[in-house]
């Protein structure tokens, strides 16, 4: 998980903008919106954007960015321990 990119994206872009970046990545192989282009292959890009979207959503629900990142990391660990 590239926390630096997730932090930047979740601050810089709204939920709708991140969704647009995800749509662009799915259609074009990379987001076209300037500043919304995390590193990695298409799978890594989509993973980073999806995590940033979740962090942003939690922030809009009142969590701080740090709390939101901790929450998503916790959920990922829980999921990985089940599978």
């Amino acid at each position: 998980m590239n926390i630096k990119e997730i932090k930047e994206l979740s601050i810089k872009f709204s939920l709708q903008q991140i969704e647009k970046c995800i749509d662009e990545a799915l259609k074009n192989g990379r987001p076209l919106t300037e500043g919304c282009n995390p590193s990695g292959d298409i799978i890594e890009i989509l993973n980073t954007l999806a995590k940033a979207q979740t962090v942003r959503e939690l922030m809009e629900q009142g969590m701080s960015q740090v709390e939101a990142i901790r929450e998503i990391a916790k959920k990922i660990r829980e999921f990985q321990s089940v599978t």
Side-chain angles (χ1 to χ4, degrees), residues 17-59:
Q17 290 170 317
I18 296 172
E19 182 69 33
K20 179 182 175 193
C21 293
I22 291 170
D23 289 342
E24 290 172 352
L26 288 170
K27 290 177 187 171
N28 304 306
R30 287 196 99 57
L32 303 176
T33 301
E34 187 173 327
C36 185
N37 201 354
S39 60
D41 62 21
I42 187 64
I43 300 300
E44 291 175 76
I45 290 169
L46 290 170
N47 272 330
T48 300
L49 289 169
K51 290 171 186 170
Q53 184 179 33
T54 302
V55 168
R56 180 60 186 225
E57 186 175 293
L58 292 171
M59 289 169 57

